[in-house]
Amino acid sequence: MRLAVSRRTALGLLATSVLLPGKARAESRQLYVNAFGGKAGFGVAAFDAAGRIHYSLPLPGRGHSFARSRNAAVAFSRRPGAYAVVFDAKDGRELRRIAAAEDRSFCGHGAFTSDGRLLFATEAIGSTGEGVLGIYDGTDGYRRIGEYPTHGLDPHEVRLMPDGRTLAVANGGILMLAGMPRLKLNIPDMAPSLAYLDVATGRLIRQVRPAHELRQLSIRHITIDRRGRVAIAMQYEGPETDDVPLVSWHGGPDDPAGLRFLAIPPEQRRGLRQYCGSAAMSGDGRLLAVTSPRGKRMLVWDMEAERHLAAAEMDDVCGVAAEPDGAGFIVSNGLGRIAAWQAGRVTTLPEAGSHLWDNHMMAV
């Protein structure tokens, strides 16, 4: 059965403030953090599953995504980023500010080791465009202690695999240099890849690329399902009229096969406008959600059956995070709305208006 929420229904729900049903949701202690912008500047805010804002933390510039450990969370600046801010995820206190290293810029994402000691941040070398993972020691004031090459250009999201020994890195494959940081210089010859690196040594374990004819599929956002497979949300840099897949998965560092693409109903694929903005797995590890701010929609798949389940259309939706104990998602948009998706139903949370939510959300 394929569930869908019509454009009229979804946008109507997003335009109103409807309390979520159920005592459990209202009393949930789960917090979500999302970067935001607005007239007052940039920051990070934390809210609960009923939409109540618990704290706001100012940022020196536009934020993007996050990493978390047991003791802290890190907000990364939008690429090419000059800073990262370490903060207490419980109360929003700033703990440390990290400046980008010389000839390096943050690319918006990071991941901790399972013990929380080391932080890996995706970074680009300004003079060459090559990607690296900057390595920061969380036990020593987040001092930068080295870097690993990502074996590609334009690294974006990085995730620690369930084995705790492998990092999965999304190399977007686009050449950009410090002197012209938003100009894409190699679109005809892009080389995106999913790279698996050994946490302890940085050794390249495996690298997976789209077929040559799909080389303009920029691999940008990744998440991991309960089987340990890496789900991938992509952005196509070729013509908008090209019929290309945008969501795929790979079996992990021991999988010798290439990318497998998830089926998207034709009307939904066209509606994505060649752009996926964020990806998240549900709390039970079964459902994959992918958002598209350009396409104004979120799509959901059952990863056990590798089957498309649902679509909901929402203006400028991008941020998405799992409700930890179930098969639902919390989503945010650039118009200041927070909503919940569960079993095909979109319900708006009461907080709205004062924060214009940016690309990514994280449960903490």
Side-chain angles (χ1 to χ4, degrees), residues 96-162:
R96 178 78 57 173
R97 193 168 295 190
I98 307 170
E102 183 178 357
D103 199 29
R104 305 291 187 270
S105 61
F106 291 113
C107 294
H109 291 261
F112 279 95
T113 50
S114 53
D115 61 5
R117 177 177 174 269
L118 296 179
L119 169 68
F120 294 89
T122 52
E123 300 176 5
I125 301 176
S127 55
T128 67
E130 294 173 305
V132 297
L133 290 180
I135 309 170
Y136 299 83
D137 187 347
T139 68
D140 187 15
Y142 290 88
R143 179 172 61 91
R144 195 177 194 274
I145 59 174
E147 63 184 34
Y148 294 155
T150 68
H151 302 275
L153 301 173
D154 184 30
H156 201 59
E157 189 153 18
V158 57
R159 294 266 184 170
L160 182 68
M161 295 294 293

Short mmCIF file of all heavy atoms in Angstrom, two decimals, residues 96-162:
data_model
loop_
_atom_site.label_atom_id
_atom_site.label_comp_id
_atom_site.label_asym_id
_atom_site.label_seq_id
_atom_site.Cartn_x
_atom_site.Cartn_y
_atom_site.Cartn_z
N ARG A 96 32.98 25.32 23.45
CA ARG A 96 34.23 25.54 22.73
C ARG A 96 33.90 26.01 21.32
O ARG A 96 32.89 25.60 20.75
CB ARG A 96 35.03 24.24 22.67
CG ARG A 96 36.34 24.28 21.91
CD ARG A 96 37.44 24.91 22.71
NE ARG A 96 37.67 24.25 23.98
CZ ARG A 96 38.67 24.54 24.81
NH1 ARG A 96 39.52 25.48 24.46
NH2 ARG A 96 38.81 23.92 25.96
N ARG A 97 34.75 26.85 20.77
CA ARG A 97 34.61 27.25 19.37
C ARG A 97 35.86 26.80 18.63
O ARG A 97 36.98 27.04 19.09
CB ARG A 97 34.40 28.75 19.25
CG ARG A 97 33.95 29.19 17.85
CD ARG A 97 33.48 30.63 17.84
NE ARG A 97 32.28 30.83 18.65
CZ ARG A 97 31.57 31.95 18.66
NH1 ARG A 97 31.95 32.97 17.90
NH2 ARG A 97 30.50 32.05 19.42
N ILE A 98 35.66 26.15 17.50
CA ILE A 98 36.77 25.61 16.71
C ILE A 98 36.88 26.42 15.43
O ILE A 98 35.90 26.56 14.68
CB ILE A 98 36.54 24.13 16.34
CG1 ILE A 98 36.24 23.29 17.60
CG2 ILE A 98 37.74 23.56 15.61
CD1 ILE A 98 35.76 21.88 17.28
N ALA A 99 38.07 26.96 15.16
CA ALA A 99 38.31 27.68 13.92
C ALA A 99 38.85 26.72 12.87
O ALA A 99 39.59 25.77 13.18
CB ALA A 99 39.31 28.81 14.14
N ALA A 100 38.45 26.92 11.62
CA ALA A 100 38.96 26.09 10.54
C ALA A 100 40.48 26.26 10.42
O ALA A 100 41.02 27.35 10.62
CB ALA A 100 38.29 26.46 9.23
N ALA A 101 41.17 25.16 10.10
CA ALA A 101 42.62 25.20 9.94
C ALA A 101 42.99 25.97 8.68
O ALA A 101 42.17 26.21 7.79
CB ALA A 101 43.17 23.78 9.87
N GLU A 102 44.25 26.36 8.58
CA GLU A 102 44.73 27.11 7.43
C GLU A 102 44.50 26.33 6.13
O GLU A 102 44.81 25.12 6.06
CB GLU A 102 46.21 27.43 7.59
CG GLU A 102 46.78 28.28 6.47
CD GLU A 102 48.24 28.63 6.68
OE1 GLU A 102 48.79 28.24 7.73
OE2 GLU A 102 48.81 29.29 5.79
N ASP A 103 43.95 26.98 5.14
CA ASP A 103 43.66 26.39 3.82
C ASP A 103 42.66 25.24 3.92
O ASP A 103 42.62 24.37 3.05
CB ASP A 103 44.93 25.92 3.12
CG ASP A 103 44.74 25.75 1.62
OD1 ASP A 103 43.90 26.46 1.04
OD2 ASP A 103 45.42 24.88 1.03
N ARG A 104 41.87 25.23 4.96
CA ARG A 104 40.81 24.23 5.12
C ARG A 104 39.50 24.96 5.43
O ARG A 104 39.51 26.01 6.08
CB ARG A 104 41.11 23.25 6.27
CG ARG A 104 42.44 22.53 6.18
CD ARG A 104 42.46 21.54 5.04
NE ARG A 104 43.67 20.72 5.03
CZ ARG A 104 44.80 21.04 4.40
NH1 ARG A 104 44.86 22.19 3.72
NH2 ARG A 104 45.85 20.24 4.41
N SER A 105 38.40 24.41 4.99
CA SER A 105 37.10 24.93 5.38
C SER A 105 36.19 23.78 5.74
O SER A 105 36.29 22.68 5.17
CB SER A 105 36.47 25.76 4.24
OG SER A 105 36.27 24.96 3.09
N PHE A 106 35.32 24.00 6.71
CA PHE A 106 34.36 22.97 7.11
C PHE A 106 33.30 22.81 6.01
O PHE A 106 32.88 23.78 5.37
CB PHE A 106 33.69 23.35 8.42
CG PHE A 106 34.60 23.29 9.61
CD1 PHE A 106 34.96 24.46 10.29
CD2 PHE A 106 35.11 22.08 10.05
CE1 PHE A 106 35.80 24.41 11.38
CE2 PHE A 106 35.95 22.02 11.16
CZ PHE A 106 36.31 23.18 11.82
N CYS A 107 32.86 21.56 5.83
CA CYS A 107 31.86 21.25 4.80
C CYS A 107 30.49 20.94 5.39
O CYS A 107 29.62 20.40 4.69
CB CYS A 107 32.34 20.10 3.93
SG CYS A 107 33.79 20.50 2.94
N GLY A 108 30.30 21.21 6.69
CA GLY A 108 28.96 21.18 7.24
C GLY A 108 28.58 19.98 8.07
O GLY A 108 27.53 19.99 8.72
N HIS A 109 29.39 18.91 8.08
CA HIS A 109 29.01 17.69 8.78
C HIS A 109 30.20 17.11 9.54
O HIS A 109 31.36 17.44 9.26
CB HIS A 109 28.51 16.62 7.79
CG HIS A 109 27.20 16.95 7.16
ND1 HIS A 109 26.01 16.42 7.59
CD2 HIS A 109 26.90 17.75 6.11
CE1 HIS A 109 25.02 16.87 6.83
NE2 HIS A 109 25.53 17.69 5.93
N GLY A 110 29.89 16.22 10.49
CA GLY A 110 30.94 15.55 11.25
C GLY A 110 30.39 14.33 11.96
O GLY A 110 29.17 14.08 11.97
N ALA A 111 31.28 13.55 12.57
CA ALA A 111 30.89 12.35 13.30
C ALA A 111 31.92 12.07 14.39
O ALA A 111 33.12 12.31 14.20
CB ALA A 111 30.79 11.15 12.37
N PHE A 112 31.43 11.59 15.53
CA PHE A 112 32.29 11.18 16.63
C PHE A 112 32.60 9.69 16.55
O PHE A 112 31.83 8.91 15.99
CB PHE A 112 31.61 11.45 17.97
CG PHE A 112 31.69 12.88 18.45
CD1 PHE A 112 30.67 13.77 18.19
CD2 PHE A 112 32.78 13.32 19.20
CE1 PHE A 112 30.72 15.08 18.65
CE2 PHE A 112 32.85 14.62 19.67
CZ PHE A 112 31.81 15.51 19.39
N THR A 113 33.74 9.31 17.15
CA THR A 113 33.98 7.89 17.40
C THR A 113 33.00 7.42 18.47
O THR A 113 32.39 8.23 19.18
CB THR A 113 35.42 7.65 17.87
OG1 THR A 113 35.73 8.56 18.95
CG2 THR A 113 36.40 7.86 16.74
N SER A 114 32.83 6.10 18.60
CA SER A 114 31.82 5.56 19.51
C SER A 114 32.10 5.92 20.96
O SER A 114 31.17 6.02 21.76
CB SER A 114 31.72 4.04 19.34
OG SER A 114 32.99 3.44 19.47
N ASP A 115 33.37 6.14 21.33
CA ASP A 115 33.68 6.53 22.70
C ASP A 115 33.63 8.04 22.90
O ASP A 115 33.84 8.54 24.02
CB ASP A 115 35.05 5.99 23.12
CG ASP A 115 36.21 6.51 22.27
OD1 ASP A 115 35.97 7.38 21.40
OD2 ASP A 115 37.34 6.04 22.47
N GLY A 116 33.37 8.80 21.84
CA GLY A 116 33.26 10.25 21.94
C GLY A 116 34.58 10.99 22.02
O GLY A 116 34.60 12.21 22.11
N ARG A 117 35.70 10.26 21.94
CA ARG A 117 37.00 10.91 22.12
C ARG A 117 37.39 11.74 20.90
O ARG A 117 37.90 12.86 21.04
CB ARG A 117 38.09 9.87 22.40
CG ARG A 117 39.48 10.46 22.51
CD ARG A 117 40.54 9.42 22.85
NE ARG A 117 41.87 10.01 22.82
CZ ARG A 117 42.66 10.05 21.75
NH1 ARG A 117 42.23 9.50 20.62
NH2 ARG A 117 43.84 10.60 21.80
N LEU A 118 37.18 11.21 19.69
CA LEU A 118 37.61 11.90 18.48
C LEU A 118 36.42 12.38 17.66
O LEU A 118 35.40 11.69 17.55
CB LEU A 118 38.47 10.97 17.61
CG LEU A 118 39.79 10.49 18.20
CD1 LEU A 118 40.50 9.57 17.21
CD2 LEU A 118 40.69 11.67 18.58
N LEU A 119 36.57 13.56 17.11
CA LEU A 119 35.58 14.13 16.20
C LEU A 119 36.20 14.20 14.81
O LEU A 119 37.33 14.70 14.65
CB LEU A 119 35.19 15.53 16.66
CG LEU A 119 34.36 16.37 15.69
CD1 LEU A 119 32.96 15.79 15.51
CD2 LEU A 119 34.30 17.83 16.15
N PHE A 120 35.47 13.70 13.82
CA PHE A 120 35.90 13.80 12.42
C PHE A 120 34.98 14.80 11.72
O PHE A 120 33.76 14.67 11.78
CB PHE A 120 35.81 12.44 11.73
CG PHE A 120 36.78 11.43 12.26
CD1 PHE A 120 36.43 10.60 13.32
CD2 PHE A 120 38.06 11.29 11.71
CE1 PHE A 120 37.33 9.68 13.83
CE2 PHE A 120 38.95 10.37 12.21
CZ PHE A 120 38.60 9.55 13.27
N ALA A 121 35.57 15.78 11.05
CA ALA A 121 34.81 16.81 10.35
C ALA A 121 35.15 16.78 8.87
O ALA A 121 36.33 16.74 8.50
CB ALA A 121 35.11 18.19 10.92
N THR A 122 34.12 16.80 8.01
CA THR A 122 34.40 16.90 6.58
C THR A 122 34.91 18.31 6.28
O THR A 122 34.33 19.30 6.70
CB THR A 122 33.15 16.60 5.74
OG1 THR A 122 32.05 17.41 6.18
CG2 THR A 122 32.75 15.14 5.85
N GLU A 123 36.01 18.35 5.53
CA GLU A 123 36.66 19.62 5.21
C GLU A 123 37.16 19.59 3.77
O GLU A 123 37.38 18.52 3.19
CB GLU A 123 37.83 19.89 6.15
CG GLU A 123 37.44 19.95 7.62
CD GLU A 123 38.62 20.11 8.57
OE1 GLU A 123 39.76 20.27 8.08
OE2 GLU A 123 38.39 20.07 9.79
N ALA A 124 37.35 20.75 3.20
CA ALA A 124 37.92 20.88 1.86
C ALA A 124 39.20 21.70 1.93
O ALA A 124 39.29 22.66 2.70
CB ALA A 124 36.93 21.55 0.91
N ILE A 125 40.18 21.32 1.13
CA ILE A 125 41.41 22.10 1.00
C ILE A 125 41.13 23.23 0.02
O ILE A 125 40.80 23.00 -1.14
CB ILE A 125 42.56 21.21 0.51
CG1 ILE A 125 42.80 20.06 1.49
CG2 ILE A 125 43.84 22.04 0.34
CD1 ILE A 125 43.86 19.07 1.03
N GLY A 126 41.25 24.46 0.48
CA GLY A 126 40.85 25.60 -0.33
C GLY A 126 41.62 25.75 -1.62
O GLY A 126 41.08 26.17 -2.64
N SER A 127 42.92 25.41 -1.60
CA SER A 127 43.77 25.64 -2.77
C SER A 127 43.64 24.56 -3.83
O SER A 127 43.98 24.80 -5.00
CB SER A 127 45.23 25.74 -2.33
OG SER A 127 45.61 24.59 -1.59
N THR A 128 43.12 23.38 -3.47
CA THR A 128 43.02 22.28 -4.43
C THR A 128 41.61 21.72 -4.57
O THR A 128 41.31 21.05 -5.56
CB THR A 128 43.94 21.11 -4.03
OG1 THR A 128 43.46 20.53 -2.80
CG2 THR A 128 45.38 21.59 -3.84
N GLY A 129 40.75 21.95 -3.58
CA GLY A 129 39.41 21.39 -3.58
C GLY A 129 39.32 19.97 -3.06
O GLY A 129 38.23 19.42 -2.93
N GLU A 130 40.44 19.36 -2.78
CA GLU A 130 40.44 17.97 -2.30
C GLU A 130 39.81 17.86 -0.92
O GLU A 130 39.89 18.80 -0.11
CB GLU A 130 41.86 17.42 -2.28
CG GLU A 130 42.50 17.29 -3.65
CD GLU A 130 43.96 16.90 -3.56
OE1 GLU A 130 44.72 17.60 -2.87
OE2 GLU A 130 44.33 15.88 -4.18
N GLY A 131 39.21 16.70 -0.65
CA GLY A 131 38.54 16.50 0.61
C GLY A 131 39.40 15.84 1.65
O GLY A 131 40.23 14.97 1.34
N VAL A 132 39.19 16.22 2.91
CA VAL A 132 39.84 15.59 4.05
C VAL A 132 38.84 15.48 5.19
O VAL A 132 37.83 16.18 5.23
CB VAL A 132 41.09 16.37 4.54
CG1 VAL A 132 42.15 16.42 3.45
CG2 VAL A 132 40.72 17.77 5.01
N LEU A 133 39.15 14.57 6.10
CA LEU A 133 38.47 14.52 7.39
C LEU A 133 39.41 15.12 8.42
O LEU A 133 40.47 14.54 8.71
CB LEU A 133 38.11 13.09 7.79
CG LEU A 133 37.01 12.38 7.01
CD1 LEU A 133 36.80 10.98 7.58
CD2 LEU A 133 35.71 13.16 7.05
N GLY A 134 39.07 16.30 8.95
CA GLY A 134 39.85 16.84 10.04
C GLY A 134 39.59 16.05 11.31
O GLY A 134 38.46 15.66 11.58
N ILE A 135 40.62 15.77 12.09
CA ILE A 135 40.52 14.95 13.30
C ILE A 135 40.76 15.84 14.51
O ILE A 135 41.81 16.51 14.61
CB ILE A 135 41.53 13.79 13.28
CG1 ILE A 135 41.43 13.02 11.96
CG2 ILE A 135 41.30 12.85 14.47
CD1 ILE A 135 42.57 12.02 11.77
N TYR A 136 39.81 15.84 15.44
CA TYR A 136 39.85 16.70 16.61
C TYR A 136 39.74 15.86 17.88
O TYR A 136 38.89 14.97 17.97
CB TYR A 136 38.73 17.74 16.56
CG TYR A 136 38.83 18.64 15.34
CD1 TYR A 136 38.33 18.23 14.10
CD2 TYR A 136 39.45 19.87 15.43
CE1 TYR A 136 38.45 19.04 12.98
CE2 TYR A 136 39.57 20.70 14.31
CZ TYR A 136 39.07 20.27 13.09
OH TYR A 136 39.20 21.06 11.98
N ASP A 137 40.60 16.18 18.85
CA ASP A 137 40.65 15.43 20.11
C ASP A 137 39.69 16.06 21.12
O ASP A 137 39.97 17.14 21.66
CB ASP A 137 42.07 15.41 20.65
CG ASP A 137 42.24 14.51 21.85
OD1 ASP A 137 41.22 14.09 22.44
OD2 ASP A 137 43.39 14.21 22.22
N GLY A 138 38.58 15.38 21.37
CA GLY A 138 37.60 15.90 22.31
C GLY A 138 38.05 15.90 23.75
O GLY A 138 37.43 16.55 24.60
N THR A 139 39.14 15.19 24.07
CA THR A 139 39.67 15.19 25.43
C THR A 139 40.73 16.26 25.64
O THR A 139 41.24 16.43 26.74
CB THR A 139 40.28 13.81 25.77
OG1 THR A 139 41.47 13.60 24.97
CG2 THR A 139 39.30 12.69 25.48
N ASP A 140 41.05 17.00 24.58
CA ASP A 140 42.10 18.01 24.66
C ASP A 140 41.62 19.30 23.99
O ASP A 140 42.29 19.85 23.12
CB ASP A 140 43.38 17.49 24.00
CG ASP A 140 44.57 18.42 24.19
OD1 ASP A 140 44.50 19.32 25.06
OD2 ASP A 140 45.56 18.28 23.44
N GLY A 141 40.44 19.76 24.41
CA GLY A 141 39.93 21.03 23.92
C GLY A 141 39.64 21.05 22.44
O GLY A 141 39.65 22.11 21.82
N TYR A 142 39.39 19.90 21.85
CA TYR A 142 39.11 19.77 20.42
C TYR A 142 40.26 20.31 19.57
O TYR A 142 40.07 20.92 18.53
CB TYR A 142 37.77 20.43 20.05
CG TYR A 142 36.61 19.65 20.61
CD1 TYR A 142 36.13 19.89 21.90
CD2 TYR A 142 36.02 18.63 19.88
CE1 TYR A 142 35.09 19.15 22.43
CE2 TYR A 142 34.97 17.88 20.40
CZ TYR A 142 34.52 18.15 21.68
OH TYR A 142 33.50 17.40 22.21
N ARG A 143 41.46 20.01 20.05
CA ARG A 143 42.65 20.36 19.28
C ARG A 143 42.70 19.51 18.00
O ARG A 143 42.43 18.31 18.04
CB ARG A 143 43.90 20.11 20.13
CG ARG A 143 45.23 20.41 19.45
CD ARG A 143 46.36 20.31 20.47
NE ARG A 143 46.44 18.97 21.03
CZ ARG A 143 47.19 17.98 20.52
NH1 ARG A 143 47.91 18.19 19.42
NH2 ARG A 143 47.23 16.80 21.11
N ARG A 144 43.03 20.13 16.89
CA ARG A 144 43.14 19.40 15.62
C ARG A 144 44.45 18.63 15.61
O ARG A 144 45.53 19.21 15.69
CB ARG A 144 43.09 20.38 14.44
CG ARG A 144 42.83 19.70 13.08
CD ARG A 144 42.73 20.77 11.99
NE ARG A 144 42.16 20.28 10.75
CZ ARG A 144 42.86 19.69 9.77
NH1 ARG A 144 44.16 19.53 9.92
NH2 ARG A 144 42.26 19.28 8.67
N ILE A 145 44.34 17.31 15.49
CA ILE A 145 45.53 16.46 15.62
C ILE A 145 45.91 15.79 14.32
O ILE A 145 46.90 15.03 14.28
CB ILE A 145 45.31 15.39 16.72
CG1 ILE A 145 44.11 14.50 16.38
CG2 ILE A 145 45.15 16.04 18.09
CD1 ILE A 145 43.93 13.33 17.37
N GLY A 146 45.19 16.04 13.25
CA GLY A 146 45.55 15.44 11.97
C GLY A 146 44.38 15.44 11.02
O GLY A 146 43.34 16.06 11.26
N GLU A 147 44.55 14.73 9.90
CA GLU A 147 43.49 14.63 8.92
C GLU A 147 43.68 13.36 8.09
O GLU A 147 44.80 12.84 7.97
CB GLU A 147 43.44 15.85 8.01
CG GLU A 147 44.69 16.06 7.17
CD GLU A 147 44.65 17.34 6.35
OE1 GLU A 147 44.07 18.36 6.80
OE2 GLU A 147 45.22 17.32 5.23
N TYR A 148 42.59 12.86 7.54
CA TYR A 148 42.61 11.74 6.60
C TYR A 148 42.10 12.25 5.26
O TYR A 148 41.11 13.02 5.21
CB TYR A 148 41.66 10.62 7.04
CG TYR A 148 42.01 9.88 8.29
CD1 TYR A 148 40.99 9.25 9.03
CD2 TYR A 148 43.31 9.77 8.75
CE1 TYR A 148 41.27 8.54 10.18
CE2 TYR A 148 43.60 9.06 9.91
CZ TYR A 148 42.57 8.46 10.62
OH TYR A 148 42.85 7.75 11.77
N PRO A 149 42.70 11.83 4.15
CA PRO A 149 42.09 12.14 2.85
C PRO A 149 40.78 11.37 2.68
O PRO A 149 40.66 10.23 3.12
CB PRO A 149 43.14 11.68 1.84
CG PRO A 149 43.94 10.65 2.57
CD PRO A 149 43.95 11.06 4.02
N THR A 150 39.81 12.00 2.05
CA THR A 150 38.53 11.33 1.79
C THR A 150 38.52 10.66 0.42
O THR A 150 37.54 10.03 0.05
CB THR A 150 37.34 12.30 1.87
OG1 THR A 150 37.41 13.23 0.78
CG2 THR A 150 37.32 13.04 3.19
N HIS A 151 39.59 10.83 -0.36
CA HIS A 151 39.73 10.22 -1.68
C HIS A 151 38.66 10.72 -2.64
O HIS A 151 38.11 9.95 -3.43
CB HIS A 151 39.73 8.69 -1.57
CG HIS A 151 40.82 8.17 -0.69
ND1 HIS A 151 42.10 7.93 -1.15
CD2 HIS A 151 40.83 7.90 0.65
CE1 HIS A 151 42.85 7.51 -0.13
NE2 HIS A 151 42.10 7.48 0.96
N GLY A 152 38.41 12.01 -2.55
CA GLY A 152 37.44 12.62 -3.45
C GLY A 152 37.33 14.11 -3.19
O GLY A 152 37.89 14.65 -2.22
N LEU A 153 36.60 14.78 -4.06
CA LEU A 153 36.33 16.21 -3.91
C LEU A 153 35.01 16.43 -3.18
O LEU A 153 34.14 15.56 -3.19
CB LEU A 153 36.23 16.86 -5.30
CG LEU A 153 37.45 16.77 -6.22
CD1 LEU A 153 37.09 17.31 -7.60
CD2 LEU A 153 38.64 17.52 -5.65
N ASP A 154 34.91 17.58 -2.53
CA ASP A 154 33.63 18.03 -2.00
C ASP A 154 33.02 17.05 -1.00
O ASP A 154 31.86 16.65 -1.13
CB ASP A 154 32.69 18.28 -3.19
CG ASP A 154 31.34 18.84 -2.83
OD1 ASP A 154 31.24 19.56 -1.83
OD2 ASP A 154 30.37 18.54 -3.56
N PRO A 155 33.76 16.62 0.03
CA PRO A 155 33.15 15.72 1.02
C PRO A 155 32.04 16.45 1.76
O PRO A 155 32.16 17.64 2.06
CB PRO A 155 34.31 15.37 1.95
CG PRO A 155 35.22 16.57 1.87
CD PRO A 155 35.10 17.05 0.44
N HIS A 156 30.97 15.73 2.05
CA HIS A 156 29.86 16.40 2.73
C HIS A 156 29.51 15.65 4.01
O HIS A 156 30.09 15.92 5.05
CB HIS A 156 28.67 16.54 1.78
CG HIS A 156 27.72 17.61 2.21
ND1 HIS A 156 28.11 18.93 2.34
CD2 HIS A 156 26.41 17.58 2.55
CE1 HIS A 156 27.09 19.66 2.75
NE2 HIS A 156 26.03 18.86 2.89
N GLU A 157 28.62 14.69 3.97
CA GLU A 157 28.25 14.01 5.22
C GLU A 157 29.19 12.84 5.50
O GLU A 157 29.65 12.15 4.60
CB GLU A 157 26.80 13.51 5.15
CG GLU A 157 26.29 13.00 6.49
CD GLU A 157 24.80 13.12 6.66
OE1 GLU A 157 24.08 13.27 5.66
OE2 GLU A 157 24.34 13.06 7.82
N VAL A 158 29.46 12.62 6.79
CA VAL A 158 30.23 11.47 7.25
C VAL A 158 29.46 10.80 8.38
O VAL A 158 28.84 11.46 9.21
CB VAL A 158 31.65 11.90 7.72
CG1 VAL A 158 31.58 12.95 8.83
CG2 VAL A 158 32.46 10.69 8.19
N ARG A 159 29.46 9.46 8.37
CA ARG A 159 28.78 8.69 9.41
C ARG A 159 29.71 7.59 9.91
O ARG A 159 30.46 6.99 9.14
CB ARG A 159 27.51 8.03 8.85
CG ARG A 159 26.43 9.01 8.43
CD ARG A 159 25.45 9.26 9.54
NE ARG A 159 24.36 10.12 9.13
CZ ARG A 159 23.27 10.33 9.85
NH1 ARG A 159 23.13 9.71 11.01
NH2 ARG A 159 22.32 11.15 9.43
N LEU A 160 29.60 7.31 11.21
CA LEU A 160 30.28 6.15 11.78
C LEU A 160 29.41 4.92 11.55
O LEU A 160 28.23 4.92 11.90
CB LEU A 160 30.54 6.36 13.27
CG LEU A 160 31.29 5.24 14.00
CD1 LEU A 160 32.74 5.16 13.52
CD2 LEU A 160 31.23 5.44 15.51
N MET A 161 30.00 3.87 10.97
CA MET A 161 29.25 2.66 10.72
C MET A 161 28.98 1.91 12.03
O MET A 161 29.66 2.12 13.03
CB MET A 161 30.02 1.76 9.76
CG MET A 161 30.19 2.33 8.35
SD MET A 161 28.62 2.50 7.47
CE MET A 161 28.15 0.77 7.24
N PRO A 162 27.98 1.03 12.05
CA PRO A 162 27.64 0.31 13.29
C PRO A 162 28.79 -0.51 13.88
O PRO A 162 28.78 -0.78 15.08
CB PRO A 162 26.49 -0.61 12.85
CG PRO A 162 25.86 0.10 11.70
CD PRO A 162 26.99 0.76 10.98
#
